[in-house]
Structures are given as structure tokens and as C-alpha cells.
Amino acid sequence: MAEETQVDYSLSNSDTLTKYKTAARIAHQVLETVTGWCVEGEKILTICERGDKLLDEEVGKVYKGKKISKGVAHPTTVSPSSFVTPYTPLASDPADAAVVLKPGEVVKIQLGAQIDGFGTIVGDTIVIPSKENTDSEISGREADLLLATHYANELLLRLMIPPGLMSAGSEEEKKKAASEKPITQSKITQLLEKVVKSYDCNLVENTTSWVFERNEIEGKKKIVLAPSEGQKGEGVPEVGEAWGVEVGVSLGSGKVKTLENRPTLHRRTTTTYGLKRPSSRQILSEIVKKFGTFPFSLRQLDDERAAKVGVVECVRSNVVRQYEVIADKDGAAVSRLFTTIAITKNGLMLLSAPPSPDLAKFKTDKKITDTEILKILEQPISKSTGTKSKSKKKKKKPAKKAAEEESEESSEEE
């Protein structure tokens, strides 16, 4: 009898990285389109439905004829101003289905795709322009919030890099740098708090980044920012891992509360249980077939109303997890960014990341002055491989330089 071939699903396998990149390309493309749909007066439900349809269409164009799973790694969600968690309303819930985007509202968009179980998720935050004023300039507290989130994200990405990975110098110096202890999670929170407090903002409590594995977006390791009592992270980032990196920032205290809205975002767990109701078994079967262990919205199931009934036993028996709808305790605006990264020997590879903001359009008198923070922001996230890009793309400025220029431009206008 022939031995079964063991498939290498690690990042050292170029095929794995290709699948991650393919999923990321789809996620980026759909995010850009969905962002364009987010205008004053548009229903959130309509945007989410169109986003999921586009995700399905784009995923269907790749790996045709291959016997591999592929689909949505995270449904399209559009979260109103004070909402912390991804929000995906149902057509059968009239009040939620009628919610529309308001001008000046801070909105979070999140979605993702997966190829062969390798999922990439991306999330961005935008401010809804008014129909009368399409000027892209953002000022006041909204500018503070988005800048705080941007620089907190830039800092967290750099803190994800394993010790010594980006060090230069002799082999001995590199070994010495690599032998340093990884930064603690409490120190990570402390540094990020310095960033957001520079803009008079706060971290959203319990914002969690997870290690990604095949068919798993909440692996064995996690980093918890601003943990509440009883919450803590586990493990440190290492070369060869993919991570979903999330940053949440609030104009309020950063404390959260659970809303009364129906939880509509769910995910299958690895728990097995003999469900009693035929409707529950039918729903679970559809979930397994369509989504595996990736998150989904009840509206993505064939019969939304039947799904609302059948999922109850699934959740009660812990074969399906429901994500409660969480919001800022003070009702303050919240911003979130989500980036999927791969940690390689050359540093961080941003698989799917929110678009780089045009910092010139943010007008505020606040800035980062902490020298320790500015020094970290000056560091690159990856080594130069010496290959030249075929297209002449504008070179991204170091985060520190961008922070300094942004504050200088604001000062000049005063």
C-alpha cells in the first residue's frame, strides 16, 4: 500500500503563500469596491449583501477545476460609529435592515476571502462624506481618531517583528539581537496607549490579534490589547506564522458594552454534539458545507428565517459560536483596522492591509512627541530583497517621517 503524501501547509511552501496572496488580492479588490458604495443614505444591509455577492464572484474566478475549498473568510460587515464588532444586519429584522449611513459617521468595513483554508481578512475605517460636501479633508475629533488608529497600527506591526529579525551588523551582533527577549504584551499595550493618548483617544479594551492557521483564524496564540480583568494574551509572534492584526481606538474611554441587537455573525467550533432538532441539524450541515470554520452571517444561509431558529440549538450546544454585538460604552466613535500578515525571514509581509491614508487631508494640532515611539515608527517592517518593482509606485514614507510631516503641515496652516 502506497504511503499517503504529507502536504506541507507551512509558509515555507510557496504554494501556501500563493494561496494567501490570491485571497488577499480578492479581499483588497472587494474592499475598494465596497468602500465606494459607502455613501450618505445607503443602507448597510444592501452594502453587505452586494459585498458578499462580489466576494463569491471573485473567488469563483480563481483555482477553477481544483479540488480545494475556497470562499468567504469573513462576510462583508459595515459597522456604525460606536460599534466595535463587525456588524451584518438581516433583511428579516426590519429595524436593523433600515439602518442607513449618515454623513460624518465613522464606519468600519471588514471582509475576507480564503483559498484552500488560507484566509486573509482586511478591515478599514472611513468617514462618510455628505452629499453636499465631498471634500476629502477630515478635521476635528475624527481626524484625531483616524490618525491615532493609523499610527497605533503602524507601531503594532513593528512590535510584531521577532527580536533580531531586522537587525544589521556582524553575525555576532545579529545573534545578540536575536537572543533578546520578545516584547511583553503589557509593554505592547503601554506603547500603543502612548500613541493614542497623543491624540486624546483610548485603546478599545480586549482588542485581539490572532495567529492564523489553515482553516483557523483564532489559533493557539493571541495578543490582547488593553485587556480587561481575566483577559490575557498567549504566545509571541514567530517566523513562519500568519497573523490577523487588529487595532481598535475610541474617542471615549475604550470600555465596551453588549448591545441588544441580534447577534448575526457566527462561526462553527470544533465541538461535536448530537443536535436534537432536525432544523438545527440541517442548518449545521449547511454551515459546514458552505463556510467550514470561517465566520458567516445568517443572511448568507439559504433560508434566513429558518437559520435564525435552527442556529439557537447550535449556539446553546456550543457547536456554533455567536459574536455578540459590542459597542463603545460611552457611545463614542470607534475606529478599527485589520491587517493579515506573514512573518518571514525578511520581516513582515503585508498580505492584506487597509489602504495607506493620505495624511495631508487630516487636520489636527495633535502629534506624537514620545522619542521611543518615534524611533520605533522609523524602523522598516521588512528587509530590502534587492528586487526592483516593475511598476514605478510611489515609495511609502517611514511612519515616523509621515507623523512629523503631518504635524508640520497642520502647524503651517495655523
Side-chain angles (χ1 to χ4, degrees):
M1 185 175 178
E3 291 185 9
E4 186 177 342
T5 304
Q6 191 71 26
V7 180
D8 177 14
Y9 289 120
S10 71
L11 286 176
S12 59
N13 183 352
S14 61
D15 190 41
T16 296
L17 208 49
T18 298
K19 289 170 182 174
Y20 267 125
K21 289 179 178 179
T22 302
R25 177 179 55 78
I26 292 170
H28 278 141
Q29 182 179 338
V30 177
L31 175 65
E32 182 180 1
T33 303
V34 169
T35 300
W37 293 338
C38 291
V39 296
E40 178 186 351
E42 188 62 68
K43 288 184 178 180
I44 289 179
L45 172 62
T46 303
I47 298 170
C48 292
E49 289 175 335
R50 293 175 70 189
D52 287 344
K53 182 181 179 182
L54 184 57
L55 276 171
D56 287 334
E57 289 173 354
E58 294 304 318
V59 168
K61 296 177 183 178
V62 300
Y63 286 88
K64 289 184 176 180
K66 303 287 185 180
K67 291 185 178 180
I68 59 172
S69 67
K70 57 181 181 177
V72 174
H74 193 285
T76 305
T77 59
V78 179
S79 305
S81 186
S82 66
F83 283 43
V84 172
T85 50
Y87 178 65
T88 168
L90 304 181
S92 55
D93 289 339
D96 287 346
V99 175
V100 298
L101 297 177
K102 303 176 182 65
E105 187 172 17
V106 176
V107 170
K108 284 76 64 180
I109 307 167
Q110 187 166 310
L111 52 85
Q114 64 91 4
I115 304 294
D116 198 19
F118 299 106
T120 61
I121 298 173
V122 63
D124 192 19
T125 297
I126 62 171
V127 176
I128 303 300
S130 65
K131 291 179 180 177
E132 293 77 20
N133 181 21
T134 56
D135 186 3
S136 61
E137 183 177 297
I138 298 173
S139 59
R141 295 297 283 141
E142 288 77 18
D144 295 337
L145 177 63
L146 266 60
L147 284 172
T149 311
H150 167 69
Y151 287 118
N153 186 57
E154 290 290 324
L155 184 69
L156 179 55
L157 289 173
R158 284 156 176 79
L159 298 177
M160 297 284 293
I161 301 172
L165 191 62
M166 298 297 294
S167 61
S170 66
E171 288 301 318
E172 186 176 339
E173 290 172 325
K174 290 179 181 179
K175 286 181 180 179
K176 183 180 179 181
S179 66
E180 294 178 3
K181 287 185 178 180
I183 186 171
T184 64
Q185 297 207 16
S186 59
K187 179 66 172 178
I188 291 175
T189 290
Q190 180 187 341
L191 290 172
L192 264 65
E193 282 179 338
K194 286 185 178 181
V195 172
V196 299
K197 287 184 183 300
S198 298
Y199 294 93
D200 198 18
C201 297
N202 285 290
L203 291 175
V204 174
E205 65 176 341
N206 299 325
T207 301
T208 307
S209 299
W210 296 88
V211 69
F212 278 11
E213 299 165 1
R214 185 169 181 257
N215 294 313
E216 180 57 79
I217 61 166
E218 294 181 4
K220 297 181 178 66
K221 297 181 180 181
K222 61 181 179 179
I223 294 172
V224 182
L225 303 177
S228 60
E229 187 176 351
Q231 298 292 323
K232 66 175 184 178
E234 187 174 344
V236 295
E238 296 180 87
V239 172
E241 294 176 342
W243 280 74
V245 182
E246 183 171 5
V247 168
V249 181
S250 169
L251 285 179
S253 66
K255 302 298 181 182
V256 300
K257 63 180 179 181
T258 301
L259 299 181
E260 295 181 357
N261 300 61
R262 178 195 301 276
T264 62
L265 188 66
H266 294 73
R267 179 170 175 261
R268 183 168 69 91
T269 69
T270 55
T271 301
T272 56
Y273 180 83
L275 298 171
K276 295 179 176 62
R277 299 172 66 94
S279 60
S280 304
R281 294 197 295 270
Q282 182 179 345
I283 291 300
L284 181 60
S285 176
E286 185 181 354
I287 291 169
V288 172
K289 183 179 179 181
K290 284 186 173 180
F291 311 108
T293 54
F294 288 99
F296 62 92
S297 168
L298 292 180
R299 61 180 165 72
Q300 292 176 290
L301 298 171
D302 291 340
D303 188 330
E304 185 179 295
R305 293 183 183 276
K308 288 160 69 174
V309 175
V311 80
V312 173
E313 186 186 4
C314 295
V315 172
R316 190 169 58 239
S317 304
N318 198 34
V319 296
V320 169
R321 172 190 172 186
Q322 71 178 20
Y323 291 85
E324 302 293 339
V325 183
I326 307 294
D328 185 90
K329 191 174 182 179
D330 309 317
V334 170
S335 174
R336 279 193 305 110
L337 297 177
F338 198 107
T339 309
T340 303
I341 66 169
I343 306 176
T344 73
K345 63 180 181 180
N346 292 319
L348 298 191
M349 179 183 295
L350 303 184
L351 295 169
S352 60
S356 298
D358 178 5
L359 299 175
K361 73 178 184 180
F362 296 101
K363 306 302 177 184
T364 179
D365 58 354
K366 299 179 178 65
K367 63 180 180 179
I368 300 169
T369 58
D370 187 281
T371 54
E372 182 183 14
I373 300 297
L374 291 172
K375 185 177 179 181
I376 298 172
L377 288 174
E378 195 174 35
Q379 298 170 4
I381 61 171
S382 62
K383 300 175 185 176
S384 173
T385 57
T387 56
K388 293 182 179 180
S389 175
K390 292 181 180 179
S391 59
K392 294 182 179 179
K393 293 184 178 180
K394 187 177 180 180
K395 191 174 181 181
K396 188 177 179 181
K397 298 174 182 176
K400 176 189 174 184
K401 185 175 181 181
E404 292 172 342
E405 289 185 3
E406 165 253 314
S407 62
E408 286 172 5
E409 287 173 2
S410 297
S411 299
E412 288 173 1
E413 293 187 7
E414 292 177 354

